[in-house]
């Protein structure tokens, strides 16, 4: 059966060239564009210019979307039995103008916020193109029957194309490496060849496997046969074992999974401690399993009367409600405790969509997929573009929180000087570490994005990323001459390069203490020499000799570093280079 499928592909590919000529042309253009970006653009423009940057961005965003737009337009025209060229011309020219505009705006944008907005617009456009590709041809259908049949055929085509591409890639790259080894050619074109396989060969094979739209609209979905039969022959005796792969494998595993998820969610609610990421992704996993079950049993749900498959699909659709509800609570609780971020805002928007979907999914009457798509597109657009986008909302909330915190700490004259800024964060860390960590994160993020409104409160030219830390970054290095003389009563010496870790360093009364283990240079020794460095020595940059009982260390180079880790804890190290003299 697999061999018969492979034999059909030459004729299917020829048919695809007739059905989707423009989409296939863009598939070839995509490979050329990516190869030019990697190999050709640096040669044509050795120095980066404004035009080369615009061309680079445009070549990255235009061809792939153009291919999907041409394919979606062809499928929609096929569903409407239209052969006019004007729709293809309008969609192609429109995307050309939009992509050039987006590239120009991205390069000309002088701050991070505008660039992120342009990126979000591009994501929205790609999402709408993907939705149009799948749902566009069946938008005017009275039910989802044709969509279900077409979707299953598409998945089969994608998996078959992927299998062919993997086999072809393994064979081709092995042959290419063998040729390069024989000819001693180090200049391999494997990257270019990979672009051709991914962006040209794979899409064309997928297009070749796309079924005819008019045939799908006339088909009535039928329940697939999930029975798998295994035949064994042992000592001239033949045994056969048949089972339903969905009922006997997938459903029992899902039942165990959903019970574990509900137990975890109940424990989290009772303790009111939510591992946000885990809770969220468990809810998404449950929903994915429910969609798989509903997709498999869709033909049974549209049939009149009762059946076990229909009952399974209906009952299991309710199992995703509680995990989605718990994930929404977890995100809200995270926002209330740690402040809002763009990722949390988008996750909350997605959870709201999942809640709406779960409610609609529980209605006995079949809800058309296009209504769910409309809701999804509306939430996606609002979340990424406009005044209620993740970027705008988080920026405004952060600025208001920063101003509120400044007022509560007694600062009303803006912008603060660098000295006052350091004092503000130092006092805030001592007073309320949780609030300080939130404000510090917001200031660092806005400063990294060069948000102009932030500099109404703080000095623009200061290193706010470091000033806002609980433990500021410190690096002190002192170098001395490499001239050494052996002191009296010292008969042994050794050259030492040693780094003391954070746990090796102790600070008392503005003095740094540390112990050097002699086993660093003599594995049989258990001797430890204790040294110390007063703070004044660092200020005077006068650290030439460290002395202790039985040892003298003449310093060639000493470096001290302090930084803050992700948990707002202090980390330090000390690196010593020099000669150790011993009695």
């Amino acid at each position: 059966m697999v061999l018969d499928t492979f034999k059909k592909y030459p004729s299917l590919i020829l048919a695809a060239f007739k059905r989707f000529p423009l989409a296939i042309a863009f598939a070839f253009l995509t490979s050329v564009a990516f190869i030019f970006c990697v190999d050709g653009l640096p040669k044509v423009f050795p120095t980066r210019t404004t035009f080369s940057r615009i061309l680079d961005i445009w070549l990255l965003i235009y061809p792939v979307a153009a291919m999907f737009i041409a394919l979606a337009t062809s499928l929609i025209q096929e569903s409407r039995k239209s052969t006019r060229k004007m729709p293809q011309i309008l969609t192609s020219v429109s995307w050309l103008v939009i992509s050039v505009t987006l590239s120009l705006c991205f390069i000309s944008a002088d701050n991070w916020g505008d660039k992120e907005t342009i990126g979000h617009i591009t994501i929205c456009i790609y999402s709408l193109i993907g939705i149009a590709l799948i749902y566009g041809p069946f938008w005017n259908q009275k039910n989802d029957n044709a969509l279900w049949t077409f979707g299953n055929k598409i998945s089969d085509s994608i998996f078959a194309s992927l299998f062919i591409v993997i086999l072809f890639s393994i064979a081709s790259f092995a042959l290419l490496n063998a040729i390069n080894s024989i000819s001693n050619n180090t200049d391999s074109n494997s990257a270019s060849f990979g672009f051709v396989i991914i962006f040209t060969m794979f899409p064309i094979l997928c297009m070749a496997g796309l079924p005819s739209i008019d045939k799908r609209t006339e088909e009535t979905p039928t329940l697939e046969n999930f029975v798998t039969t295994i035949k064994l022959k042992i000592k001239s005796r033949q045994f056969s074992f048949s089972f339903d792969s969905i009922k006997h494998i997938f459903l029992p595993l899902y039942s165990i999974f959903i019970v574990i998820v509900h137990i975890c969610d109940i424990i989290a609610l009772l303790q009111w401690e939510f591992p946000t990421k885990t809770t969220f992704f468990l809810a998404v996993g449950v929903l994915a399993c429910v969609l798989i079950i509903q997709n498999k049993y869709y033909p049974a749900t549209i049939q009149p009367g009762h059946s076990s498959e229909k009952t399974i699909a209906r009952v299991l659709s309710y199992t995703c409600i509680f995990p989605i509800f718990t994930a929404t609570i977890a995100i809200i609780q995270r926002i209330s405790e740690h402040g809002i971020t763009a990722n949390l805002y988008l996750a909350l928007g997605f959870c709201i969509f999942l809640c709406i979907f779960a409610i609609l999914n529980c209605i006995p009457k079949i809800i058309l997929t296009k209504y769910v798509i409309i809701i999804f597109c509306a939430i996606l657009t609002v979340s990424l573009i406009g005044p209620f986008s993740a970027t705008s909302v988080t920026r405004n909330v952060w600025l208001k929180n920063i101003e509120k915190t400044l007022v509560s700490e007694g600062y009303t004259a803006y912008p603060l000087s660098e000295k006052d800024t350091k004092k503000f964060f130092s006092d805030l860390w001592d007073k309320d570490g949780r609030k300080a960590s939130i404000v510090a994160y917001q200031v660092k993020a806005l400063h990294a994005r060069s948000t102009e409104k932030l500099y109404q409160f703080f000095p623009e030219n200061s290193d706010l990323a470091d000033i806002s830390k609980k433990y500021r970054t410190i690096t002190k290095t002192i170098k001395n001459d490499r001239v050494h003389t052996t002191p009296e009563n010292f008969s042994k010496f050794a050259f030492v390069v040693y780094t003391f870790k954070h746990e090796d360093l102790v600070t008392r009364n503005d003095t740094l203490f540390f112990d050097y283990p002699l086993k660093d240079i003599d594995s049989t020794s258990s001797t430890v020499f204790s040294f110390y460095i007063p703070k004044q020595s660092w200020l005077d940059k006068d650290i030439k000799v460290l002395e202790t009982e039985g040892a003298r260390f003449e310093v060639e180079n000493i470096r001290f570093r302090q930084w803050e880790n992700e948990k707002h804890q202090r980390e330090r190290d000390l690196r010593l280079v020099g000669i150790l003299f011993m009695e």
Side-chain angles (χ1 to χ4, degrees):
M1 183 177 178
V2 176
L3 186 60
D4 293 339
T5 303
F6 289 163
K7 288 180 179 179
K8 294 179 182 177
Y9 261 98
S11 59
L12 291 174
I13 291 173
L14 291 176
F17 272 86
K18 295 179 181 179
R19 289 177 66 193
F20 316 115
L22 189 59
I24 291 178
F26 278 122
F28 284 101
L29 177 62
T30 302
S31 295
V32 174
F34 278 90
I35 292 171
F36 180 73
C37 283
V38 174
D39 296 330
L41 199 62
K43 297 178 182 177
V44 177
F45 300 97
T47 57
R48 297 282 285 175
T49 62
T50 302
F51 176 75
S52 68
R53 292 167 60 201
I54 294 173
L55 182 62
D56 194 10
I57 296 296
W58 181 75
L59 289 174
L60 289 176
I61 67 173
Y62 172 73
V64 176
M67 175 178 62
F68 287 132
I69 289 172
L71 180 59
T73 305
S74 297
L75 290 174
I76 293 172
Q77 284 190 275
E78 190 176 286
S79 68
R80 298 184 178 184
K81 296 180 174 59
S82 173
T83 57
R84 294 187 303 160
K85 296 181 179 179
M86 188 55 65
Q88 285 284 13
I89 295 173
L90 288 176
T91 54
S92 300
V93 172
S94 298
W95 172 236
L96 176 63
V97 173
I98 292 171
S99 62
V100 171
T101 305
L102 289 174
S103 302
L104 290 171
C105 292
F106 186 85
I107 296 300
S108 60
D110 57 356
N111 62 78
W112 185 89
D114 292 340
K115 290 182 182 291
E116 187 181 46
T117 300
I118 295 168
H120 287 168
I121 293 173
T122 306
I123 292 172
C124 281
I125 292 173
Y126 267 80
S127 301
L128 293 175
I129 293 171
I131 291 170
L133 180 62
I134 299 173
Y135 297 99
F138 311 102
W139 193 257
N140 294 326
Q141 296 294 318
K142 295 180 180 180
N143 53 49
D144 292 333
N145 294 354
L147 173 64
W148 181 87
T149 307
F150 184 73
N152 282 273
K153 295 293 183 181
I154 284 180
S155 61
D156 294 341
S157 171
I158 291 174
F159 283 119
S161 303
L162 185 62
F163 181 71
I164 294 173
V165 165
I166 291 173
L167 291 181
F168 180 78
S169 301
I170 294 172
S172 301
F173 281 113
L175 180 62
L176 186 64
N177 289 330
I179 294 173
N180 290 333
S181 299
I182 294 172
S183 60
N184 294 323
N185 181 17
T186 58
D187 186 15
S188 175
N189 294 320
S190 57
S192 301
F193 192 63
F195 285 132
V196 173
I197 292 175
I198 295 172
F199 296 108
T200 299
M201 181 179 175
F202 180 66
I204 291 176
L205 288 174
C206 291
M207 293 180 205
L210 291 180
S212 176
I213 299 295
D214 54 352
K215 292 182 180 180
R216 302 283 77 78
T217 56
E218 298 171 0
E219 290 184 10
T220 301
T222 56
L223 192 63
E224 296 181 15
N225 181 14
F226 303 111
V227 176
T228 302
T229 302
I230 299 176
K231 295 182 178 180
L232 299 174
K233 189 174 182 181
I234 302 175
K235 294 182 179 181
S236 71
R237 296 185 63 182
Q238 188 169 346
F239 301 90
S240 62
F241 176 67
S242 300
F243 60 94
D244 189 325
S245 58
I246 294 294
K247 284 186 177 180
H248 297 148
I249 296 179
F250 186 82
L251 291 182
L253 292 175
Y254 175 71
S255 301
I256 297 171
F257 173 65
I258 195 61
V259 169
I260 294 173
V261 171
H262 277 71
I263 291 174
C264 294
D265 289 344
I266 291 171
I267 293 173
L269 285 170
L270 292 176
Q271 296 180 349
W272 203 248
E273 293 181 1
F274 300 92
T276 309
K277 289 184 179 180
T278 303
T279 306
F280 176 76
F281 286 113
L282 283 177
V284 173
V286 169
L287 181 66
C289 292
V290 169
L291 291 177
I292 291 173
I293 295 169
Q294 289 187 335
N295 176 67
K296 295 299 182 181
Y297 288 144
Y298 174 80
T301 59
I302 63 175
Q303 297 297 329
H306 297 282
S307 65
S308 60
E309 291 83 4
K310 191 173 186 178
T311 303
I312 290 171
R314 178 58 57 192
V315 171
L316 292 183
S317 64
Y318 301 133
T319 58
C320 66
I321 297 175
F322 186 67
I324 293 173
F325 173 74
T326 308
T328 307
I329 293 177
I331 293 172
I332 294 173
Q333 190 242 13
R334 177 79 178 181
I335 292 174
S336 64
E337 288 188 356
H338 301 279
I340 193 168
T341 64
N343 289 339
L344 288 175
Y345 183 81
L346 293 174
L348 181 61
F350 186 65
C351 279
I352 292 172
F353 166 72
L354 294 183
C355 290
I356 296 172
F357 174 79
I359 293 171
L360 293 177
N361 198 35
C362 293
I363 299 175
K365 183 180 178 181
I366 301 297
I367 303 296
L368 291 179
T369 305
K370 65 180 178 182
Y371 297 126
V372 179
I373 295 302
I374 291 172
I375 296 170
F376 174 77
C377 290
I379 293 177
L380 179 67
T381 305
V382 170
S383 300
L384 293 180
I385 304 173
F388 298 103
S389 66
T391 302
S392 299
V393 170
T394 52
R395 181 181 62 244
N396 295 334
V397 170
W398 289 356
L399 289 170
K400 288 181 180 179
N401 183 57
I402 291 169
E403 184 178 12
K404 180 182 176 182
T405 307
L406 284 168
V407 171
S408 66
E409 293 297 314
Y411 295 91
T412 55
Y414 311 123
L416 302 183
S417 64
E418 183 170 331
K419 181 179 179 181
D420 289 338
T421 303
K422 291 180 178 179
K423 186 176 184 304
F424 163 71
F425 280 106
S426 179
D427 294 343
L428 190 61
W429 277 110
D430 294 337
K431 183 178 178 180
D432 189 343
R434 178 174 164 274
K435 181 188 290 187
S437 66
I438 295 173
V439 174
Y441 172 81
Q442 295 170 351
V443 169
K444 283 188 285 187
L446 292 173
H447 180 60
R449 302 170 188 178
S450 301
T451 305
E452 289 294 330
K453 291 185 178 181
L454 175 68
Y455 305 123
Q456 296 176 1
F457 307 111
F458 301 109
E460 182 175 359
N461 297 324
S462 298
D463 187 3
L464 295 177
D466 189 59
I467 293 174
S468 60
K469 292 178 180 178
K470 184 177 182 180
Y471 300 100
R472 300 188 185 104
T473 302
I474 299 173
T475 301
K476 295 182 179 181
T477 304
I478 297 175
K479 295 182 179 180
N480 300 315
D481 296 334
R482 297 186 177 183
V483 178
H484 304 281
T485 56
T486 305
E488 295 181 2
N489 301 325
F490 289 86
S491 58
K492 299 179 182 179
F493 67 91
F495 182 72
V496 173
V497 178
Y498 191 78
T499 301
F500 298 89
K501 299 179 181 178
H502 176 75
E503 56 269 18
D504 300 328
L505 305 175
V506 178
T507 303
R508 292 194 303 268
N509 299 325
D510 290 337
T511 301
L512 186 67
F513 295 87
F514 51 93
D515 296 334
Y516 174 73
L518 194 58
K519 67 178 180 180
D520 173 54
I521 54 177
D522 184 1
S523 59
T524 62
S525 177
S526 60
T527 305
V528 175
F529 295 118
S530 298
F531 296 102
Y532 65 92
I533 304 174
K535 180 179 180 181
Q536 192 61 40
S537 298
W538 289 106
L539 297 176
D540 298 337
K541 295 185 178 180
D542 183 16
I543 306 176
K544 296 180 179 179
V545 177
L546 304 177
E547 292 186 297
T548 188
E549 184 178 353
R552 172 188 173 96
F553 193 95
E554 295 191 0
V555 179
E556 292 182 2
N557 187 302
I558 183 170
R559 184 201 64 198
F560 174 79
R561 293 189 306 170
Q562 173 182 287
W563 68 94
E564 182 182 271
N565 62 22
E566 295 179 353
K567 297 181 179 180
H568 303 295
Q569 297 171 339
R570 183 171 63 173
E571 296 283 348
R572 300 181 299 175
D573 68 14
L574 179 70
R575 186 172 187 267
L576 271 178
V577 179
I579 303 294
L580 177 65
F581 294 96
M582 296 164 284
E583 290 182 353

